[in-house]
Amino acid sequence: MRRLLLIGGVLAGLVLLVLGALYAAPLFTDWTARRDTLAALAAERLGRPVTLTGPVRLRLLPRPVVEAEGVTLGEPDDAFAVTAGALRLRLDGPALLRGRLAPREVALVGADIRLPWPPPGGAAGLFAGLSSLDAALEGSRIAIGAVVLERVQARLTAGDGSLAAPVRAGGSFVRGGLEWRFDATLGRPGFDGATPLEVALALGGATIGARGVLTPEGVMEGSVEASGPDLSLLVPAPAGPFRARGRLMVAADLVAADELAMDLGGGPARGALTLRLSPTARVDVALVTGRLDLDSWVGALRSRGAGLPLGVDLSAEAASFGGVPLRRLRAAVFRDADRLTLTDVSALLPGDTTVELNGATAGDRLEAGLRFAGSDLRGTLGALGLNTEVLAPARLRAGEGRARLVLDPGSVAVPEFSAVLDGARVSGAGVLRYGARPALGLGLNLDVLDLDAWLRPGLDWAAAGRVLGGLDANLRIAAETARWGGVGLDRASLDASLENGRLTVRRLSGRLAEAELALSGGVLLGPSPRLSDASLELSGPAFRSLAMLLPGSWPDGTRLAGQGFSLRAGGSGPVEALAVQLGLDLGEARLEANTTLDLPGRRGTGTVTLRHPGAPRFLSEAGWPGVEDWIGQGSLSVVAALSAGPQGVSAERLELVAGGVRLSGPLALTLEAGRPRVTGRLAVEAMNPPGFAWRGREPLPVAALRGLDADVALSFGRLELAGLPPVQDARARVRLSAGRLALDEVEAVLSGGALRGAATLDVTGDAPVLGLSGTVRDAEVTGPMLGLPVDVVAGRAELGWQLAARGSSAAALIATLEGEARLAARQGVLSGLDAAAAGRGAVAGDETALRQALSDGATGFEALSVRGTLAGGRVTLAEASAVGEGVALTLRGDVDVARGAVDLLATQKPGDPGYSGPEVGVRLTGPAARPRRVPEVAAWQRWRAER
C-alpha cells in the first residue's frame, strides 16, 4: 500500500512538472521572429494577404493558441480593408509536438471591417477578394457602406472562386442597441453575372427574410418577408404582432421594399419601406391602413432611441389620438435624431371640423401651424374634453381660422390666433399650463362680443364657480363692441386674473353711449362668492347714457337727461351681505346711497338721499314744469330708508321736502301673485296742488290703475285746491283694487266745518265711471262759494252731494254728471243782487232803484236752501230760496256745468202787506263768468200802469 502511494505521488509530481513546463515554456520562447510564418498560415486560411506588426504570444494550455497583435488584411490599395486588434490561431497539438504549425481555426478579434457598397466590379469583384475564406470574428465591427454593425460574433466561409461553393456568414451583431442574429448566403455568379443572395435576420421572435439576385451592376432584386410578435422591435412603431410580404430592391444608395401587404395587430395595411444610404442614411416608411392608434405610434416615434433619420407617411380612414376619434387622417412625419417634423397633417375631427397642421419638435417641444374649419365646433370641443356648459347652446357652431401652436410637456401655447366664429372675428394669443391647477393666459381682440348670445341662459354664480374655480387665468380681452343685458359698451377692454378661485378685475373700461366706464375689484368664487374693493366709475356729458339702464322711458327727452353726470360706486363683502356705497352727481343734484344687498336672494336694505338746491328747477328739468306755483321756492331733499326684495320695495322712513311741501311716512310696494300693491301712510304738512283742467279732452291717465293695487292712508295739515277754500287736518284712505279706485274715510276741516265724503273711480269697463258723495257741516262761508253769478259769500253753510259720471276725459266726465246736490245756509249774504232793495223799490214804484237793486248788490238772509238735480252735466234748480228781513227770494233755472253756461231766474216777492203787485227779478243767461242780466220787471210795469 505504501508503495502504491509513493508511485502515485511520483506520477502526480511528474504531471505537475510537465504542466508547469508547458505553461512556462512559451514565456521563455520568442515567437515574434515567426511573424511571417504565422502571417502566411493566416493568409492561407483567410484568402487575403495578412500583415502582422504587433507582438506574438503562444499559449499551450488549455489548448495550443498563437495570438498576434497589429493585424492588417489585404493590400494597401485594397477596397476591402480589414484591420484587427488581434489574430488568434488555434493550432493542432500533435502537429505542434512534431514541430509543425497546423492551424485548426483562425479568429479575428476586435476587427474593423469596411466593405464598400456596392462592391467594386459587382459580385465578381467581391469574389475576387474573397476567393477563399474560413474565419471567425469576435467583438468586431463591420461597416457596409454607411451601415455599421457593432459587436459582431460570426463565422465566415468561402470556397475557391472557381468553384460553385457559396459564401456563407452566420452569427450575431448589435445594431441600435439590439442584438440581431443573421444567416446570409451569397452564391456564385452565373454566366449572366447575376449572383443569388439570401439573407435571414432574427430579433427576439421577429424574423426578416430576403431572397433575390445581385446583378453585375450591384443591384439586388427580389422579395422580402417579415413576421413576428412585436413590430416595435424592428421599427419605431407600437408593439403588436405583424406580418409583411413584398418586393425588395437593393441598389448602391437605396434599399426599397414596396408593394408590401401587411397585417398589423390583426388589421390589414399596405405600405412601403425605403432605406437611403447616400448622401446620408435615412429610412422612409409609407403606410396605408383602415384604422390607426396614433397615441401608440407617436409614443413609439418619440420614445425610441435616436437611430437613422426616419420618415413616415401615414394614411388612415379612421384613427384615434388622446381618445379623440379622427377620420381621413393624412400625415407625413420625419424624425432626425430627437427632432420630429410634421408635414401636411390633416384629419376630420368630431363635429366635422377639418384641421391641417405643419410643424416640428425640438426635444419635447412642438411648434406647428394649424388651420381649422368646421360646422359644429361645439361638438369638436366637447370631444376634446373642453367644457362648454357656460356657452349658449346655439353658439360656437360654424367657424374657421388659423393658429400657431407651441406644445410643451406641461403647456400649450398659441402665440398667434385668428378666426371667424359664428360670423364674429376674433384674434389673439394664449397659453395653457397643465398641473394640479391648470393656468390659462389669454389675450383676445374681437369685433363684437355679444355676451347675451354667447352665455347660456340661466347661468348663475354656482355654475360659473364650477367652471372657473378649477383653473388659474390671466385675461386681456378687447372688443370694438360688447353687449350684455341689452347694454352696449364700445371700445371695451378687460384686464383680469383668476387665481386660486379668486377673480380680480384689474380694469374693465369702455364707452357706454357717451359715458366713460371704469370698473375694478375682486371676487372670491365658490358657493358663496365674496366681493372685495369693487369700484365703478361712470361719467359723461349727458345723463341719458346712464338712464338707458333704467326701466321705463323716464327721463328720456327731459332736460335732466341732457345734463352731465358722474357716478361712483363701491362694494365689498359676500354676495349675501354685500355693502354698496353709491354717489351720483347729476347737474346740481346729488344722490347718495348706502345699502346692503343679498344678491342670491335679490334683497337689499339701505338709505337713499337726494338733494338739489332748487326743487322747482329740478322738477321742471325732470319733466314736471309749472310746479313752482304750488310748491314754492326752496330746495329739494328726499331721504328714504329702503328695503327691497322679490316681494317688493318698502320705505320704512320716507321724508321729502320740496320747496314748501313736506311729506313723510312709511310706504311699501309689494307684489302679490305678480300684481303690484302700494300700502302705507303719508303725512303732508301743506300742499297747494295745481288746478285741474275740468274741461280737458285729453284721455285720463288711468292705465296704471288697471295694473296696480293700493291701500294708502293720507293726511294733510293744510290742502289748498284751486278755486276752493283751504282744507285743514284732512285725512283719507286710498284703496285701489283690480282697477277700482276708492277714496274712503275722507275727513277734513273746511272753513271751520266738518267735511266727510268718499269718491270712487272704476276703470275696468270701456270708460271710467266716477262716483262722488259727501257732506260739509257748519262751515263758515267767507267768499264766493259756488262760482255762480248769484252766489253765497257769507254765512254758515251745510253741503251735501251724491254724483256719478262716465267718460275717458275730464270733459266727458263733466258732460255725463248726474245726481243731486244740496246747500243750506244761515245768517249769510248772497251776492249778485239786493233782494230787499228790489222789494222796497217795487213797493215804492221807483223803477230806477228797482233796476239798480237787480243788477248788483248783496242780499242778507236768515236761511237759504238750494237743491239741484244733475243730468247730462246740467244742474236744474229744483228748490232754491232765501228768506230774511225783507227778503223772499226764489231761484229757478239751469246751470250747464259742461259748457260753463247759466240760465237762472231770481225773483223777489216784496214783503209789504199793502203790496199786491207781481214779483220782480232778474234773469241771468250766457257764460257763467259774464252772464247777460235781463231785469224781469215787465209784469211789474204793467201792474203799475194799470194802477
Side-chain angles (χ1 to χ4, degrees):
M1 184 66 179
R2 188 175 292 176
R3 182 178 293 176
L4 291 175
L5 291 175
L6 181 59
I7 294 172
V10 172
L11 291 176
L14 291 174
V15 171
L16 292 175
L17 182 61
V18 171
L19 292 177
L22 291 176
Y23 177 78
L27 300 178
F28 298 97
T29 305
D30 183 9
W31 284 82
T32 304
R34 308 186 69 174
R35 283 179 182 161
D36 295 339
T37 303
L38 294 175
L41 291 174
E44 182 181 351
R45 295 295 298 267
L46 296 176
R48 306 280 292 169
V50 177
T51 303
L52 301 177
T53 60
V56 179
R57 293 181 294 274
L58 171 65
R59 187 176 67 247
L60 297 177
L61 295 178
R63 61 183 65 177
V65 174
V66 175
E67 187 174 288
E69 298 181 4
V71 182
T72 303
L73 276 69
E75 300 296 338
D77 58 350
D78 196 342
F80 299 94
V82 178
T83 61
L87 173 67
R88 185 182 297 140
L89 296 176
R90 187 164 64 87
L91 303 176
D92 183 86
L96 182 62
L97 292 176
R98 293 192 296 269
R100 186 170 62 87
L101 297 178
R104 298 186 63 182
E105 183 181 273
V106 178
L108 294 175
V109 180
D112 187 355
I113 304 174
R114 299 181 181 276
L115 300 178
W117 187 265
L126 177 62
F127 281 103
L130 295 175
S131 59
S132 177
L133 176 64
D134 185 1
L137 296 177
E138 296 180 6
S140 300
R141 179 177 182 271
I142 299 178
I144 306 174
V147 179
V148 178
L149 308 180
E150 303 284 352
R151 293 159 52 187
V152 179
Q153 302 285 124
R155 179 78 180 182
L156 305 178
T157 61
D160 189 344
S162 62
L163 302 177
V167 176
R168 289 189 173 90
S172 66
F173 64 86
V174 174
R175 170 70 180 167
L178 302 175
E179 184 176 356
W180 294 74
R181 297 186 307 277
F182 70 94
D183 190 0
T185 301
L186 181 64
R188 298 294 176 170
F191 293 105
D192 57 358
T195 304
L197 175 62
E198 185 174 346
V199 179
L201 298 173
L203 177 64
T207 61
I208 303 176
R211 183 177 300 169
V213 294
L214 187 63
T215 66
E217 293 79 15
V219 176
M220 176 188 172
E221 297 179 352
S223 63
V224 63
E225 292 187 16
S227 63
D230 190 353
L231 180 60
S232 64
L233 294 174
L234 304 181
V235 294
F242 70 96
R243 192 170 59 249
R245 180 186 179 92
R247 190 177 64 175
L248 177 67
M249 189 273 289
V250 181
D253 58 351
L254 182 70
V255 178
D258 56 8
E259 298 182 6
L260 292 174
M262 296 178 285
D263 186 315
L264 303 179
R270 295 178 292 108
L273 185 145
T274 302
L275 170 61
R276 301 183 185 275
L277 301 176
S278 65
T280 58
R282 167 176 170 168
V283 178
D284 290 295
V285 178
L287 181 63
V288 179
T289 182
R291 186 167 188 84
L292 195 66
D293 182 8
L294 275 181
D295 294 290
S296 57
W297 278 86
V298 172
L301 284 172
R302 302 193 68 176
S303 63
R304 190 70 172 264
L308 293 177
L310 173 65
V312 180
D313 192 333
L314 295 176
S315 179
E317 281 303 310
S320 64
F321 183 64
V324 179
L326 309 175
R327 291 184 293 148
R328 298 203 294 271
L329 171 67
R330 303 291 184 271
V333 183
F334 178 69
R335 189 192 72 179
D336 186 4
D338 292 332
R339 180 181 176 85
L340 291 178
T341 302
L342 308 177
T343 308
D344 298 330
V345 179
S346 65
L348 186 63
L349 300 179
D352 290 335
T353 297
T354 302
V355 294
E356 299 177 0
L357 184 141
N358 293 274
T361 66
D364 291 333
R365 181 186 182 94
L366 170 64
E367 296 189 14
L370 173 70
R371 290 183 177 272
F372 69 91
S375 58
D376 185 12
L377 297 179
R378 189 186 190 92
T380 302
L381 294 178
L384 295 175
L386 298 179
N387 193 341
T388 58
E389 67 172 299
V390 300
L391 302 180
R395 287 289 131 182
L396 212 58
R397 296 298 181 183
E400 61 178 351
R402 60 179 181 83
R404 186 163 64 89
L405 300 178
V406 178
L407 278 69
D408 286 311
S411 67
V412 176
V414 184
E416 298 178 12
F417 172 77
S418 64
V420 177
L421 304 177
D422 293 334
R425 294 187 177 276
V426 57
S427 62
V431 59
L432 175 63
R433 293 183 173 85
Y434 304 114
R437 288 187 60 81
L440 173 67
L442 185 62
L444 293 179
N445 296 298
L446 305 97
D447 291 342
V448 178
L449 177 59
D450 190 348
L451 293 176
D452 293 316
W454 277 91
L455 295 180
R456 175 175 58 84
L459 182 65
D460 53 16
W461 277 110
R466 286 194 304 270
V467 175
L468 301 177
L471 78 159
D472 295 338
N474 194 24
L475 305 175
R476 286 182 173 85
I477 300 176
E480 284 299 317
T481 301
R483 290 190 289 267
W484 191 19
V487 178
L489 193 65
D490 295 331
R491 298 197 301 273
S493 175
L494 172 65
D495 183 0
S497 65
L498 181 65
E499 185 175 0
N500 293 324
R502 178 183 177 85
L503 175 62
T504 301
V505 178
R506 291 185 285 265
R507 183 175 177 83
L508 171 63
S509 62
R511 189 171 182 83
L512 182 63
E514 299 177 358
E516 297 296 331
L517 170 71
L519 183 147
S520 63
V523 182
L524 183 62
L525 302 176
S528 177
R530 184 182 185 91
L531 272 70
S532 62
D533 301 326
S535 174
L536 169 68
E537 295 184 4
L538 184 65
S539 60
F543 180 62
R544 63 177 57 91
S545 56
L546 179 61
M548 63 182 296
L549 305 177
L550 303 175
S553 59
W554 185 87
D556 302 344
T558 66
R559 285 185 294 169
L560 186 67
Q563 296 187 1
F565 74 97
S566 176
L567 172 67
R568 298 166 302 281
S572 61
V575 292
E576 296 84 357
L578 180 63
V580 177
Q581 302 80 40
L582 182 144
L584 172 64
D585 293 330
L586 175 58
E588 296 182 77
R590 181 173 180 81
L591 175 68
E592 296 179 348
N594 290 279
T595 63
T596 300
L597 305 179
D598 178 3
L599 297 181
R602 295 181 299 166
R603 295 181 176 85
T605 59
T607 302
V608 178
T609 303
L610 173 64
R611 290 186 172 86
H612 191 279
R617 188 168 70 255
F618 175 80
L619 295 175
S620 176
E621 292 170 350
W624 296 294
V627 296
E628 181 179 354
D629 296 338
W630 60 278
I631 69 171
Q633 290 294 333
S635 63
L636 172 69
S637 173
V638 180
V639 179
L642 299 178
S643 176
Q647 290 74 30
V649 180
S650 64
E652 298 179 1
R653 180 175 62 90
L654 174 63
E655 296 180 0
L656 181 147
V657 177
V661 176
R662 297 178 180 272
L663 179 152
S664 63
L667 201 64
L669 172 64
T670 60
L671 299 174
E672 297 179 356
R675 187 176 178 86
R677 178 179 174 83
V678 179
T679 59
R681 300 187 308 275
L682 290 179
V684 183
E685 291 185 9
M687 180 175 286
N688 182 18
F692 182 70
W694 295 101
R695 294 179 178 81
R697 298 185 179 277
E698 295 79 11
L700 296 173
V702 298
L705 301 180
R706 297 187 178 96
L708 180 71
D709 292 344
D711 188 352
V712 180
L714 300 176
S715 63
F716 297 87
R718 181 181 178 85
L719 180 63
E720 297 184 13
L721 299 176
L724 295 177
V727 175
Q728 297 177 338
D729 298 330
R731 294 181 298 278
R733 193 172 195 89
V734 179
R735 291 187 174 91
L736 175 61
S737 178
R740 294 180 174 86
L741 175 66
L743 189 65
D744 298 333
E745 304 174 15
V746 178
E747 297 181 2
V749 176
L750 178 62
S751 298
L755 170 66
R756 302 286 187 275
T760 61
L761 179 64
D762 189 344
V763 297
T764 59
D766 297 336
V769 177
L770 175 67
L772 301 171
S773 63
T775 61
V776 177
R777 297 185 181 278
D778 199 25
E780 182 179 0
V781 180
T782 59
M785 185 175 178
L786 301 178
L788 296 175
V790 178
D791 204 347
V792 179
V793 295
R796 307 292 294 187
E798 294 185 358
L799 294 173
W801 60 90
Q802 190 77 31
L803 305 174
R806 179 185 182 91
S808 298
S809 64
L813 289 175
I814 295 297
T816 58
L817 271 175
E818 59 183 27
E820 183 179 80
R822 300 178 305 279
L823 169 64
R826 65 183 185 278
Q827 304 301 321
V829 176
L830 191 68
S831 66
L833 57 82
D834 187 348
R840 289 192 299 271
V843 172
D846 188 347
E847 183 175 350
T848 301
L850 174 62
R851 289 180 178 276
Q852 180 66 33
L854 293 176
S855 62
D856 198 2
T859 302
F861 60 87
E862 295 181 359
L864 181 143
S865 175
V866 178
R867 183 175 68 85
T869 60
L870 287 89
R874 180 184 291 270
V875 181
T876 300
L877 299 181
E879 299 176 5
S881 62
V883 295
E885 184 178 354
V887 176
L889 186 65
T890 301
L891 297 175
R892 298 186 296 275
D894 299 325
V895 178
D896 192 337
V897 181
R899 295 177 176 81
V902 297
D903 185 8
L904 294 176
L905 176 62
T907 61
Q908 164 68 17
K909 177 68 174 177
D912 192 313
Y915 181 74
S916 60
E919 296 179 343
V920 294
V922 60
R923 181 177 296 278
L924 304 174
T925 61
R930 293 183 178 182
R932 184 165 59 89
R933 289 174 174 265
V934 179
E936 292 288 336
V937 296
W940 177 79
Q941 289 176 334
R942 286 194 301 272
W943 171 76
R944 187 178 175 208
E946 290 174 355
R947 291 187 61 186

